[in-house]
Protein backbone atom coordinates (compact mmCIF):
# COMPACT_ATOMS: atom_id res chain seq x y z
CA UNK A 1 0.00 0.00 0.00
CA UNK A 2 2.81 2.38 0.87
CA UNK A 3 4.35 1.83 -2.55
CA UNK A 4 1.09 2.61 -4.32
CA UNK A 5 0.60 5.66 -2.11
CA UNK A 6 4.00 7.03 -3.16
CA UNK A 7 3.03 6.69 -6.83
CA UNK A 8 -0.37 8.28 -6.11
CA UNK A 9 1.19 11.26 -4.30
CA UNK A 10 3.65 11.78 -7.16
CA UNK A 11 0.84 11.69 -9.73
CA UNK A 12 -1.46 14.05 -7.82
CA UNK A 13 1.15 16.70 -7.06
CA UNK A 14 2.63 16.52 -10.55
CA UNK A 15 -0.77 16.98 -12.19
CA UNK A 16 -2.18 19.62 -9.83
CA UNK A 17 0.93 21.78 -9.70
CA UNK A 18 2.16 21.00 -13.23
CA UNK A 19 5.51 20.00 -11.75
CA UNK A 20 7.87 17.39 -13.18
CA UNK A 21 7.14 14.06 -11.43
CA UNK A 22 10.89 13.55 -10.85
CA UNK A 23 10.88 16.57 -8.53
CA UNK A 24 8.09 14.97 -6.46
CA UNK A 25 9.99 11.68 -6.19
CA UNK A 26 13.10 13.57 -5.04
CA UNK A 27 11.00 15.38 -2.43
CA UNK A 28 9.60 12.09 -1.07
CA UNK A 29 13.13 10.66 -0.95
CA UNK A 30 14.27 13.70 1.03
CA UNK A 31 11.34 13.28 3.43
CA UNK A 32 12.12 9.59 3.98
CA UNK A 33 15.80 10.41 4.50
CA UNK A 34 14.87 13.03 7.13
CA UNK A 35 12.60 10.55 8.91
CA UNK A 36 15.35 7.92 8.87
CA UNK A 37 17.90 10.27 10.42
CA UNK A 38 15.46 11.17 13.22
CA UNK A 39 15.40 7.55 14.40
CA UNK A 40 19.05 7.79 15.46
CA UNK A 41 20.22 9.49 18.62
CA UNK A 42 23.50 10.68 17.05
CA UNK A 43 23.73 12.43 13.65
CA UNK A 44 23.97 10.15 10.62
CA UNK A 45 23.50 10.49 6.86
CA UNK A 46 21.02 8.42 4.88
CA UNK A 47 19.96 7.91 1.27
CA UNK A 48 16.61 6.66 0.03
CA UNK A 49 16.14 5.34 -3.51
CA UNK A 50 12.58 5.00 -4.87
CA UNK A 51 11.83 2.87 -7.93
CA UNK A 52 9.97 5.29 -10.22
CA UNK A 53 7.83 2.49 -11.73
CA UNK A 54 6.84 0.35 -8.74
CA UNK A 55 7.13 2.77 -5.82
CA UNK A 56 9.40 0.33 -3.94
CA UNK A 57 12.17 2.01 -1.98
CA UNK A 58 15.39 1.09 -0.19
CA UNK A 59 17.26 2.98 2.54
CA UNK A 60 21.03 3.19 2.96
CA UNK A 61 23.13 4.54 5.77
CA UNK A 62 26.10 6.53 4.40
CA UNK A 63 29.61 7.36 5.57
CA UNK A 64 31.65 10.03 3.81
CA UNK A 65 35.22 8.93 3.08
CA UNK A 66 37.68 11.46 4.58
CA UNK A 67 41.39 11.76 5.28
CA UNK A 68 42.77 11.52 8.81
CA UNK A 69 42.46 14.70 10.87
CA UNK A 70 45.79 15.37 12.66
CA UNK A 71 44.08 17.76 15.10
CA UNK A 72 42.14 14.85 16.63
CA UNK A 73 44.89 12.21 16.66
CA UNK A 74 44.27 11.08 13.10
CA UNK A 75 40.65 10.15 13.74
CA UNK A 76 37.42 11.44 12.11
CA UNK A 77 35.54 14.44 13.44
CA UNK A 78 32.04 12.98 12.96
CA UNK A 79 32.16 9.18 13.42
CA UNK A 80 28.39 8.89 12.86
CA UNK A 81 28.76 9.76 9.15
CA UNK A 82 32.50 9.82 8.36
CA UNK A 83 35.01 7.03 7.77
CA UNK A 84 38.77 7.09 7.26
CA UNK A 85 40.06 6.41 3.76
CA UNK A 86 42.35 3.58 4.97
CA UNK A 87 39.41 1.87 6.71
CA UNK A 88 37.10 2.19 3.68
CA UNK A 89 39.77 0.74 1.41
CA UNK A 90 39.72 -2.59 3.27
CA UNK A 91 36.41 -3.40 1.51
CA UNK A 92 36.92 -1.30 -1.64
CA UNK A 93 40.54 -0.56 -2.66
CA UNK A 94 39.37 1.81 -5.43
CA UNK A 95 37.39 4.14 -3.15
CA UNK A 96 38.57 7.77 -2.91
CA UNK A 97 38.19 10.71 -0.53
CA UNK A 98 34.76 12.29 -1.13
CA UNK A 99 33.11 8.99 -2.03
CA UNK A 100 30.51 7.30 0.20
CA UNK A 101 30.39 3.91 1.89
CA UNK A 102 26.79 2.66 2.04
CA UNK A 103 25.02 -0.04 4.04
CA UNK A 104 21.36 -0.94 3.51
CA UNK A 105 19.19 -0.53 6.60
CA UNK A 106 15.52 -0.93 7.47
CA UNK A 107 13.30 1.63 5.77
CA UNK A 108 10.79 3.74 7.64
CA UNK A 109 7.10 3.41 6.83
CA UNK A 110 5.96 6.05 4.33
CA UNK A 111 2.41 6.15 5.69
CA UNK A 112 3.56 7.11 9.16
CA UNK A 113 5.37 10.24 8.02
CA UNK A 114 3.15 11.19 5.08
CA UNK A 115 1.24 13.83 7.03
CA UNK A 116 4.37 15.43 8.46
CA UNK A 117 7.83 15.55 6.95
CA UNK A 118 6.92 14.31 3.48
CA UNK A 119 4.18 16.86 3.06
CA UNK A 120 6.39 19.74 4.21
CA UNK A 121 9.30 18.74 2.00
CA UNK A 122 7.05 18.10 -1.00
CA UNK A 123 5.38 21.50 -0.62
CA UNK A 124 8.79 23.15 -0.31
CA UNK A 125 10.05 21.37 -3.44
CA UNK A 126 6.89 22.26 -5.31
CA UNK A 127 7.31 25.93 -4.38
CA UNK A 128 10.93 25.87 -5.51
CA UNK A 129 9.89 24.26 -8.79
CA UNK A 130 7.12 26.82 -9.29
CA UNK A 131 9.53 29.68 -8.64
CA UNK A 132 11.99 28.15 -11.10
CA UNK A 133 9.23 27.91 -13.72
CA UNK A 134 8.41 31.60 -13.22
CA UNK A 135 12.04 32.61 -13.70
CA UNK A 136 12.33 30.49 -16.85
CA UNK A 137 9.07 31.91 -18.23
CA UNK A 138 10.03 35.55 -17.66
CA UNK A 139 13.81 35.43 -18.17
CA UNK A 140 13.46 36.32 -21.85
CA UNK A 141 10.91 39.05 -21.14
CA UNK A 142 13.28 41.41 -19.32
CA UNK A 143 12.91 44.80 -21.00
CA UNK A 144 9.21 44.33 -21.76
CA UNK A 145 6.09 45.96 -20.40
CA UNK A 146 4.14 43.93 -17.86
CA UNK A 147 0.66 44.64 -16.49
CA UNK A 148 -0.70 43.44 -13.19
CA UNK A 149 -3.27 44.05 -10.49
CA UNK A 150 -2.12 45.57 -7.20
CA UNK A 151 -2.15 42.66 -4.75
CA UNK A 152 -0.74 44.35 -1.66
CA UNK A 153 1.08 47.49 -0.51
CA UNK A 154 4.01 47.46 1.91
CA UNK A 155 5.67 50.70 3.05
CA UNK A 156 5.44 52.33 -0.36
CA UNK A 157 6.36 49.16 -2.26
CA UNK A 158 3.82 47.39 -4.46
CA UNK A 159 3.22 43.72 -5.22
CA UNK A 160 1.50 42.99 -8.52
CA UNK A 161 -0.45 39.89 -9.48
CA UNK A 162 0.47 39.18 -13.11
CA UNK A 163 -1.90 36.20 -13.29
CA UNK A 164 -1.24 32.48 -13.04
CA UNK A 165 0.08 32.81 -9.46
CA UNK A 166 2.91 35.05 -10.76
CA UNK A 167 3.84 37.97 -8.54
CA UNK A 168 6.00 41.00 -9.41
CA UNK A 169 7.57 43.54 -7.06
CA UNK A 170 7.90 47.31 -7.47
CA UNK A 171 10.24 48.77 -4.86
CA UNK A 172 9.41 52.12 -3.31
CA UNK A 173 12.23 53.84 -5.24
CA UNK A 174 10.83 52.41 -8.48
CA UNK A 175 7.38 53.92 -7.89
CA UNK A 176 6.44 57.34 -9.23
CA UNK A 177 6.54 59.75 -6.26
CA UNK A 178 3.14 60.60 -4.76
CA UNK A 179 1.33 58.42 -7.31
CA UNK A 180 -1.99 57.25 -5.79
CA UNK A 181 -2.10 53.43 -5.95
CA UNK A 182 -4.83 51.33 -4.38
CA UNK A 183 -5.56 47.63 -4.00
CA UNK A 184 -7.08 46.23 -7.18
CA UNK A 185 -5.65 48.94 -9.48
CA UNK A 186 -4.22 47.79 -12.81
CA UNK A 187 -0.63 48.98 -13.11
CA UNK A 188 1.89 48.82 -15.94
CA UNK A 189 5.62 48.64 -15.41
CA UNK A 190 8.96 47.89 -17.03
CA UNK A 191 10.36 44.44 -16.20
CA UNK A 192 13.93 45.38 -15.32
CA UNK A 193 15.22 42.17 -13.73
CA UNK A 194 14.41 38.52 -13.10
CA UNK A 195 16.36 36.85 -10.32
CA UNK A 196 16.18 33.29 -9.07
CA UNK A 197 16.03 33.60 -5.29
CA UNK A 198 14.87 31.05 -2.69
CA UNK A 199 12.66 33.60 -0.96
CA UNK A 200 11.11 36.97 -1.68
CA UNK A 201 10.30 38.53 -5.04
CA UNK A 202 11.81 37.29 -8.29
CA UNK A 203 10.34 39.67 -10.87
CA UNK A 204 11.42 43.28 -10.38
CA UNK A 205 9.40 46.00 -12.10
CA UNK A 206 10.02 49.74 -12.40
CA UNK A 207 7.66 52.66 -12.94
CA UNK A 208 10.49 55.21 -12.99
CA UNK A 209 12.89 53.74 -15.57
CA UNK A 210 13.36 55.77 -18.80
CA UNK A 211 12.90 52.46 -20.63
CA UNK A 212 9.26 52.41 -19.47
CA UNK A 213 8.64 55.67 -21.33
CA UNK A 214 10.22 54.23 -24.50
CA UNK A 215 8.16 51.04 -24.20
CA UNK A 216 4.93 53.04 -23.80
CA UNK A 217 5.66 55.06 -26.94
CA UNK A 218 6.41 51.81 -28.78
CA UNK A 219 3.00 50.56 -27.69
CA UNK A 220 1.04 53.77 -28.28
CA UNK A 221 2.70 55.00 -31.52
CA UNK A 222 2.46 52.44 -34.37
CA UNK A 223 5.28 54.13 -36.31
CA UNK A 224 7.65 53.49 -33.37
CA UNK A 225 6.51 49.87 -33.04
CA UNK A 226 7.04 49.32 -36.77
CA UNK A 227 10.54 50.84 -36.74
CA UNK A 228 9.64 53.86 -38.89
CA UNK A 229 10.57 56.11 -35.95
CA UNK A 230 13.44 55.45 -33.54
CA UNK A 231 13.52 56.65 -29.94
CA UNK A 232 17.24 57.15 -29.35
CA UNK A 233 17.25 58.41 -25.76
CA UNK A 234 14.95 59.21 -22.86
CA UNK A 235 15.32 61.09 -19.59
CA UNK A 236 12.77 61.33 -16.79
CA UNK A 237 11.93 63.17 -13.64
CA UNK A 238 9.27 60.56 -12.75
CA UNK A 239 5.76 61.92 -12.39
CA UNK A 240 6.82 65.45 -13.29
CA UNK A 241 8.57 65.81 -16.65
CA UNK A 242 10.42 63.80 -19.28
CA UNK A 243 12.22 64.22 -22.60
CA UNK A 244 12.63 61.74 -25.43
CA UNK A 245 14.79 62.07 -28.56
CA UNK A 246 13.19 60.81 -31.77
CA UNK A 247 14.36 60.28 -35.35
CA UNK A 248 12.36 59.31 -38.45
CA UNK A 249 13.76 56.62 -40.73
CA UNK A 250 11.42 57.83 -43.48
CA UNK A 251 12.06 61.46 -44.57
CA UNK A 252 8.35 61.87 -45.33
CA UNK A 253 7.46 61.31 -41.66
CA UNK A 254 7.24 63.99 -38.99
CA UNK A 255 8.50 62.06 -35.93
CA UNK A 256 7.39 64.67 -33.41
CA UNK A 257 3.90 64.96 -34.89
CA UNK A 258 3.52 61.18 -35.01
CA UNK A 259 4.47 60.84 -31.34
CA UNK A 260 2.20 63.71 -30.26
CA UNK A 261 -0.76 62.31 -32.18
CA UNK A 262 -3.98 63.96 -33.29
CA UNK A 263 -4.69 66.81 -30.86
CA UNK A 264 -2.04 65.36 -28.57
CA UNK A 265 -3.96 62.12 -28.04
CA UNK A 266 -0.97 59.76 -28.13
CA UNK A 267 1.36 61.68 -25.83
CA UNK A 268 -1.58 62.46 -23.53
CA UNK A 269 -2.38 58.76 -23.14
CA UNK A 270 1.25 58.12 -22.12
CA UNK A 271 1.21 61.10 -19.75
CA UNK A 272 -1.95 59.73 -18.08
CA UNK A 273 -0.28 56.34 -17.69
CA UNK A 274 2.63 58.03 -15.87
CA UNK A 275 0.61 60.03 -13.32
CA UNK A 276 0.49 63.20 -15.43
CA UNK A 277 4.19 63.27 -16.36
CA UNK A 278 4.68 65.95 -19.06
CA UNK A 279 6.73 64.65 -22.01
CA UNK A 280 8.83 66.87 -24.30
CA UNK A 281 9.49 65.22 -27.67
CA UNK A 282 12.87 66.30 -29.02
CA UNK A 283 14.13 65.93 -32.59
CA UNK A 284 17.42 64.05 -32.53
CA UNK A 285 20.33 65.52 -34.51
CA UNK A 286 23.68 64.03 -35.43
CA UNK A 287 25.31 67.38 -34.67
CA UNK A 288 25.81 67.39 -30.89
CA UNK A 289 25.47 71.17 -30.53
CA UNK A 290 22.21 71.22 -32.50
CA UNK A 291 20.92 68.26 -30.50
CA UNK A 292 21.61 70.19 -27.29
CA UNK A 293 19.78 73.23 -28.70
CA UNK A 294 16.79 71.00 -29.46
CA UNK A 295 16.96 69.32 -26.04
CA UNK A 296 16.95 72.66 -24.22
CA UNK A 297 13.61 73.64 -25.71
CA UNK A 298 11.49 75.58 -25.06
CA UNK A 299 14.41 77.86 -24.06
CA UNK A 300 16.10 79.72 -26.94
CA UNK A 301 19.86 79.33 -27.12
CA UNK A 302 22.01 82.24 -28.28
CA UNK A 303 25.41 80.55 -28.41
CA UNK A 304 27.21 77.32 -27.49
CA UNK A 305 30.88 76.69 -26.72
CA UNK A 306 31.88 73.02 -26.95
CA UNK A 307 34.68 71.53 -24.83
CA UNK A 308 35.41 68.08 -26.30
CA UNK A 309 37.99 67.19 -23.64
CA UNK A 310 35.61 67.73 -20.74
CA UNK A 311 32.59 66.60 -22.81
CA UNK A 312 30.75 69.73 -21.76
CA UNK A 313 29.07 72.71 -23.38
CA UNK A 314 28.69 76.28 -22.19
CA UNK A 315 25.18 77.28 -23.25
CA UNK A 316 24.41 81.01 -23.40
CA UNK A 317 20.75 81.99 -22.95
CA UNK A 318 19.07 85.40 -23.02
CA UNK A 319 18.61 86.87 -19.55
CA UNK A 320 14.80 86.87 -19.75
CA UNK A 321 14.69 83.14 -20.59
CA UNK A 322 17.41 82.01 -18.20
CA UNK A 323 14.98 80.62 -15.62
CA UNK A 324 13.10 78.76 -18.36
CA UNK A 325 16.33 77.17 -19.61
CA UNK A 326 17.31 76.00 -16.14
CA UNK A 327 13.80 74.94 -15.18
CA UNK A 328 12.26 74.56 -11.75
CA UNK A 329 14.93 73.19 -9.45
CA UNK A 330 17.25 72.78 -12.46
CA UNK A 331 14.87 70.23 -13.99
CA UNK A 332 15.10 71.32 -17.65
CA UNK A 333 18.89 71.45 -17.84
CA UNK A 334 19.20 68.22 -15.82
CA UNK A 335 16.94 66.32 -18.22
CA UNK A 336 18.70 67.81 -21.25
CA UNK A 337 22.05 66.76 -19.80
CA UNK A 338 20.80 63.22 -19.24
CA UNK A 339 19.20 63.05 -22.69
CA UNK A 340 22.23 64.29 -24.66
CA UNK A 341 25.01 62.86 -22.52
CA UNK A 342 26.77 66.27 -22.43
CA UNK A 343 27.46 68.27 -19.28
CA UNK A 344 25.60 71.53 -19.86
CA UNK A 345 26.57 74.78 -18.16
CA UNK A 346 23.85 77.41 -18.53
CA UNK A 347 25.06 80.99 -18.69
CA UNK A 348 23.50 84.41 -19.01
CA UNK A 349 24.20 85.55 -22.58
CA UNK A 350 24.58 89.19 -21.48
CA UNK A 351 27.18 88.19 -18.89
CA UNK A 352 28.93 85.95 -21.44
CA UNK A 353 29.14 88.86 -23.88
CA UNK A 354 30.47 91.12 -21.14
CA UNK A 355 33.09 88.55 -20.12
CA UNK A 356 34.01 88.01 -23.75
CA UNK A 357 34.43 91.74 -24.34
CA UNK A 358 36.59 92.05 -21.21
CA UNK A 359 38.74 89.07 -22.23
CA UNK A 360 39.07 90.45 -25.78
CA UNK A 361 40.12 93.85 -24.47
CA UNK A 362 42.65 92.20 -22.16
CA UNK A 363 44.09 90.10 -25.00
CA UNK A 364 44.18 93.15 -27.27
CA UNK A 365 46.12 95.18 -24.70
CA UNK A 366 48.51 92.26 -24.11
CA UNK A 367 49.21 91.94 -27.85
CA UNK A 368 49.86 95.68 -28.17
CA UNK A 369 52.33 95.63 -25.28
CA UNK A 370 54.17 92.36 -25.83
CA UNK A 371 54.16 92.26 -29.65
CA UNK A 372 54.67 95.99 -30.15
CA UNK A 373 51.79 96.32 -32.61
CA UNK A 374 49.12 98.96 -33.08
CA UNK A 375 45.51 98.64 -32.00
CA UNK A 376 44.32 97.64 -35.48
CA UNK A 377 46.58 94.56 -35.78
CA UNK A 378 45.91 93.58 -32.14
CA UNK A 379 42.17 93.81 -32.88
CA UNK A 380 42.49 91.59 -35.96
CA UNK A 381 44.34 88.93 -33.94
CA UNK A 382 41.57 88.91 -31.35
CA UNK A 383 38.83 88.86 -34.00
CA UNK A 384 40.25 85.71 -35.65
CA UNK A 385 40.15 83.90 -32.30
CA UNK A 386 43.71 84.24 -31.03
CA UNK A 387 43.59 84.84 -27.28
CA UNK A 388 47.14 84.65 -25.94
CA UNK A 389 50.83 84.90 -26.82
CA UNK A 390 51.32 81.10 -26.82
CA UNK A 391 48.81 80.68 -29.65
CA UNK A 392 50.57 83.29 -31.80
CA UNK A 393 54.02 81.79 -31.12
CA UNK A 394 53.08 78.27 -32.19
CA UNK A 395 50.20 78.64 -34.66
CA UNK A 396 51.19 77.25 -38.11
CA UNK A 397 52.44 79.92 -40.51
CA UNK A 398 49.93 78.84 -43.17
CA UNK A 399 47.02 79.64 -40.85
CA UNK A 400 48.43 83.05 -40.00
CA UNK A 401 48.87 83.85 -43.70
CA UNK A 402 45.16 83.20 -44.25
CA UNK A 403 44.38 86.34 -42.20
CA UNK A 404 43.46 89.13 -44.57
CA UNK A 405 46.22 91.73 -44.89
CA UNK A 406 48.93 89.57 -43.26
CA UNK A 407 52.06 88.78 -45.31
CA UNK A 408 55.04 86.51 -44.56
CA UNK A 409 57.15 89.35 -43.16
CA UNK A 410 54.45 90.43 -40.66
CA UNK A 411 53.64 86.85 -39.66
CA UNK A 412 57.30 86.02 -39.03
CA UNK A 413 57.77 89.20 -37.01
CA UNK A 414 54.70 88.46 -34.86
CA UNK A 415 55.78 84.85 -34.21
CA UNK A 416 59.33 85.92 -33.34
CA UNK A 417 58.15 88.62 -30.91
CA UNK A 418 55.69 86.19 -29.30
CA UNK A 419 58.43 83.61 -28.70
CA UNK A 420 60.70 86.30 -27.23
CA UNK A 421 57.88 87.39 -24.89
CA UNK A 422 57.34 83.80 -23.74
CA UNK A 423 61.07 83.36 -23.10
CA UNK A 424 61.24 86.54 -21.04
CA UNK A 425 58.18 85.45 -19.06
CA UNK A 426 59.67 82.01 -18.39
CA UNK A 427 62.95 83.51 -17.16
CA UNK A 428 61.04 85.88 -14.88
CA UNK A 429 59.01 82.98 -13.46
CA UNK A 430 62.16 80.97 -12.75
CA UNK A 431 63.72 83.94 -10.98
CA UNK A 432 60.56 84.42 -8.97
CA UNK A 433 60.60 80.76 -7.93
CA UNK A 434 64.29 80.89 -7.02
CA UNK A 435 63.90 84.00 -4.91
CA UNK A 436 60.61 83.01 -3.31
CA UNK A 437 61.03 81.93 0.29
CA UNK A 438 58.80 79.35 1.92
CA UNK A 439 58.33 79.23 5.69
CA UNK A 440 60.21 76.67 7.75
CA UNK A 441 56.97 74.89 8.67
CA UNK A 442 56.10 74.48 4.97
CA UNK A 443 59.60 73.20 4.14
CA UNK A 444 59.55 70.69 6.99
CA UNK A 445 56.05 69.38 6.24
CA UNK A 446 55.84 65.67 5.47
CA UNK A 447 55.66 65.07 1.69
CA UNK A 448 57.18 68.47 0.82
CA UNK A 449 60.52 69.06 -0.97
CA UNK A 450 62.51 72.27 -1.39
CA UNK A 451 61.76 72.78 -5.10
CA UNK A 452 58.01 72.31 -4.59
CA UNK A 453 58.01 74.66 -1.59
CA UNK A 454 59.69 77.38 -3.70
CA UNK A 455 57.14 76.82 -6.47
CA UNK A 456 54.34 77.32 -3.98
CA UNK A 457 55.98 80.35 -2.43
CA UNK A 458 56.20 81.91 -5.91
CA UNK A 459 52.40 81.59 -6.04
CA UNK A 460 51.98 83.19 -2.65
CA UNK A 461 51.63 79.91 -0.73
CA UNK A 462 54.17 80.53 2.02
CA UNK A 463 52.72 78.97 5.19
CA UNK A 464 50.83 75.80 6.12
CA UNK A 465 47.64 77.83 6.43
CA UNK A 466 48.14 79.16 2.90
CA UNK A 467 48.40 75.59 1.59
CA UNK A 468 45.44 74.41 3.69
CA UNK A 469 43.20 77.00 2.02
CA UNK A 470 43.99 75.76 -1.51
CA UNK A 471 41.83 73.55 -3.73
CA UNK A 472 43.31 70.42 -5.29
CA UNK A 473 42.79 71.72 -8.84
CA UNK A 474 44.66 74.95 -8.01
CA UNK A 475 47.72 73.03 -6.82
CA UNK A 476 47.67 70.65 -9.81
CA UNK A 477 47.44 73.57 -12.24
CA UNK A 478 50.85 75.07 -11.45
CA UNK A 479 52.75 72.05 -10.10
CA UNK A 480 51.61 69.31 -12.46
CA UNK A 481 51.49 66.79 -9.58
CA UNK A 482 48.91 64.01 -9.30
CA UNK A 483 45.50 64.62 -7.76
CA UNK A 484 46.27 62.09 -5.03
CA UNK A 485 49.49 63.81 -3.95
CA UNK A 486 47.90 67.27 -4.02
CA UNK A 487 45.07 66.00 -1.82
CA UNK A 488 47.44 64.44 0.69
CA UNK A 489 49.51 67.64 0.97
CA UNK A 490 46.43 69.81 1.53
CA UNK A 491 45.01 67.43 4.16
CA UNK A 492 48.39 67.32 5.90
CA UNK A 493 48.42 71.11 6.02
CA UNK A 494 44.90 71.09 7.51
CA UNK A 495 45.87 68.83 10.40
CA UNK A 496 46.55 71.88 12.56
CA UNK A 497 42.97 73.06 11.95
CA UNK A 498 41.52 69.78 13.22
CA UNK A 499 43.85 69.85 16.21
CA UNK A 500 42.59 73.35 17.09
CA UNK A 501 38.96 72.19 16.78
CA UNK A 502 39.59 69.31 19.18
CA UNK A 503 41.30 71.69 21.58
Amino acid sequence: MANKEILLVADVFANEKEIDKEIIFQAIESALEAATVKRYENPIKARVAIDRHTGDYSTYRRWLVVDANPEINGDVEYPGWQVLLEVAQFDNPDIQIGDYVEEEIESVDFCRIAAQTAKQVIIQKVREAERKKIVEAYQDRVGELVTGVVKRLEKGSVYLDLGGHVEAYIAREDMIPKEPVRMGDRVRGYLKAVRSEPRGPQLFVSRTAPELLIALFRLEVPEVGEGLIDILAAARDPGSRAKIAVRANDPRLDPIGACVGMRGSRVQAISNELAGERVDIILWNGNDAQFVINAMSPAEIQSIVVDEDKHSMDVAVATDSLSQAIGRGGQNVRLATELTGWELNIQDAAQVDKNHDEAAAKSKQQFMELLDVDEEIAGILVDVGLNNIEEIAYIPVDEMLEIEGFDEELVEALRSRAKDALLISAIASEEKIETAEASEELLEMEGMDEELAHQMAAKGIVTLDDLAEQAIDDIIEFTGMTEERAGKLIMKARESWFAEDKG
Side-chain angles (χ1 to χ4, degrees):
M1 288 296 293
N3 302 356
K4 289 182 180 179
E5 191 171 346
I6 287 175
L7 296 178
L8 181 62
V9 168
D11 283 336
V12 170
F13 270 97
N15 293 330
E16 283 187 1
K17 300 294 184 178
E18 296 182 358
I19 301 296
D20 186 351
K21 194 180 289 187
E22 178 59 27
I23 292 174
I24 308 300
F25 278 122
Q26 290 174 5
I28 297 173
E29 285 173 341
S30 297
L32 291 168
E33 287 165 8
T36 301
V37 168
K38 284 183 178 179
R39 294 196 308 181
Y40 290 79
E41 186 175 341
N42 296 316
I44 69 158
K45 288 193 180 295
R47 181 176 72 86
V48 174
I50 299 175
D51 186 302
R52 274 39 173 175
H53 300 291
T54 66
D56 294 336
Y57 60 94
S58 303
T59 306
Y60 303 88
R61 182 173 176 179
R62 315 182 86 195
W63 288 267
L64 177 66
V65 179
V66 297
D67 205 355
N69 190 334
E71 294 183 4
I72 50 176
N73 300 320
D75 206 345
V76 295
E77 188 172 358
Y78 304 103
W81 54 272
Q82 289 180 335
V83 62
L84 289 175
L85 175 63
E86 56 190 46
V87 175
Q89 286 180 336
F90 279 127
D91 296 322
N92 182 1
D94 296 328
I95 204 164
Q96 300 293 326
I97 291 174
D99 293 342
Y100 280 93
V101 173
E102 293 190 335
E103 177 184 297
E104 188 169 359
I105 59 175
E106 182 185 354
S107 297
V108 297
D109 184 5
F110 175 69
C111 297
R112 201 174 71 225
I113 65 161
Q116 301 171 29
T117 315
K119 184 178 179 181
Q120 293 171 0
V121 174
I122 290 169
I123 290 172
Q124 181 184 348
K125 290 285 185 180
V126 167
R127 283 176 180 166
E128 289 174 1
E130 286 178 337
R131 290 173 70 82
K132 186 178 179 182
K133 279 180 63 179
I134 291 170
V135 169
E136 290 172 352
Y138 281 85
Q139 195 74 60
D140 295 333
R141 294 186 58 187
V142 172
E144 294 183 9
L145 278 178
V146 293
T147 304
V149 176
V150 176
K151 188 176 180 180
R152 67 181 188 274
L153 305 170
E154 288 185 6
K155 298 178 180 178
S157 300
V158 175
Y159 288 85
L160 295 180
D161 182 359
L162 303 185
H165 304 292
V166 179
E167 190 176 83
Y169 174 71
I170 310 180
R172 181 177 182 178
E173 59 269 20
D174 286 315
M175 287 295 295
I176 295 174
K178 299 179 181 178
E179 180 182 17
V181 177
R182 295 176 297 275
M183 297 283 289
D185 285 355
R186 291 190 67 80
V187 173
R188 270 186 184 147
Y190 172 79
L191 184 59
K192 66 175 186 176
V194 175
R195 293 200 289 270
S196 180
E197 298 180 0
R199 293 178 180 274
Q202 293 175 293
L203 307 185
F204 296 85
V205 172
S206 174
R207 293 270 295 157
T208 61
E211 292 86 354
L212 173 60
L213 184 61
I214 296 173
L216 288 172
F217 269 96
R218 192 174 292 118
L219 184 70
E220 193 69 35
V221 182
E223 294 86 346
V224 176
E226 294 167 7
L228 298 174
I229 294 174
D230 291 333
I231 298 179
L232 299 174
R236 296 180 62 192
D237 189 350
S240 177
R241 191 174 175 187
K243 290 177 184 282
I244 63 166
V246 298
R247 175 185 66 187
N249 293 319
D250 185 336
R252 295 169 298 179
L253 266 179
D254 171 16
I256 294 178
C259 289
V260 171
M262 188 74 70
R263 296 177 183 172
S265 58
R266 291 174 174 176
V267 73
Q268 188 59 49
I270 292 169
S271 178
N272 293 341
E273 177 66 41
L274 300 176
E277 192 170 309
R278 184 160 63 90
V279 183
D280 298 336
I281 302 170
I282 308 300
L283 186 63
W284 182 85
N285 195 295
N287 180 299
D288 290 328
Q290 184 58 52
F291 184 29
V292 166
I293 291 172
N294 296 348
M296 287 297 297
S297 69
E300 292 187 10
I301 310 304
Q302 292 199 356
S303 68
I304 285 184
V305 177
V306 180
D307 187 332
E308 294 280 358
D309 294 334
K310 294 181 178 179
H311 203 66
S312 66
M313 296 189 192
D314 293 335
V315 182
V317 183
T319 305
D320 56 0
S321 62
L322 194 61
S323 59
Q324 187 181 41
I326 295 171
R328 184 181 300 172
Q331 184 186 66
N332 192 54
V333 68
R334 186 171 64 252
L335 289 174
T337 294
E338 189 178 335
L339 187 75
T340 62
W342 285 82
E343 185 64 39
L344 306 180
N345 306 311
I346 307 302
Q347 300 174 341
D348 186 336
Q351 186 62 44
V352 169
D353 289 342
K354 181 181 177 184
N355 293 343
H356 180 269
D357 291 344
E358 290 176 356
K362 186 177 178 182
S363 296
K364 196 175 186 181
Q365 187 63 36
Q366 185 185 49
F367 292 158
M368 290 169 63
E369 293 175 1
L370 298 179
L371 301 179
D372 191 21
V373 295
D374 59 24
E375 187 174 353
E376 182 182 358
I377 291 178
I380 292 172
L381 291 172
V382 170
D383 290 342
V384 298
L386 296 170
N387 299 310
N388 54 58
I389 297 297
E390 287 88 344
E391 291 178 354
I392 294 173
Y394 298 111
I395 190 173
V397 174
D398 292 345
E399 291 185 25
M400 286 281 280
L401 287 173
E402 290 177 3
I403 301 173
E404 188 177 352
F406 279 31
D407 56 25
E408 289 186 16
E409 183 179 355
L410 176 58
V411 168
E412 193 53 47
L414 290 173
R415 284 164 55 86
S416 177
R417 292 173 192 174
K419 288 177 181 177
D420 289 344
L422 289 176
L423 181 59
I424 292 169
S425 176
I427 292 171
S429 295
E430 286 293 328
E431 289 176 350
K432 187 177 180 183
I433 289 174
E434 289 174 6
T435 56
E437 292 187 7
S439 66
E440 284 296 321
E441 61 178 3
L442 191 65
L443 282 165
E444 293 173 0
M445 189 186 83
E446 183 182 334
M448 183 65 65
D449 57 59
E450 191 170 343
E451 182 182 352
L452 179 58
H454 284 311
Q455 269 187 292
M456 289 187 175
K459 294 290 184 179
I461 303 170
V462 177
T463 66
L464 283 181
D465 281 344
D466 292 337
L467 177 55
E469 291 171 354
Q470 303 304 308
I472 292 175
D473 289 344
D474 296 335
I475 300 296
I476 293 173
E477 186 176 349
F478 71 86
T479 63
M481 68 173 61
T482 64
E483 183 177 336
E484 182 182 3
R485 187 185 178 194
K488 286 182 177 178
L489 286 172
I490 291 171
M491 292 308 295
K492 189 70 180 174
R494 290 176 181 173
E495 283 182 0
S496 60
W497 292 1
F498 302 139
E500 290 173 6
D501 290 343
K502 289 179 181 178

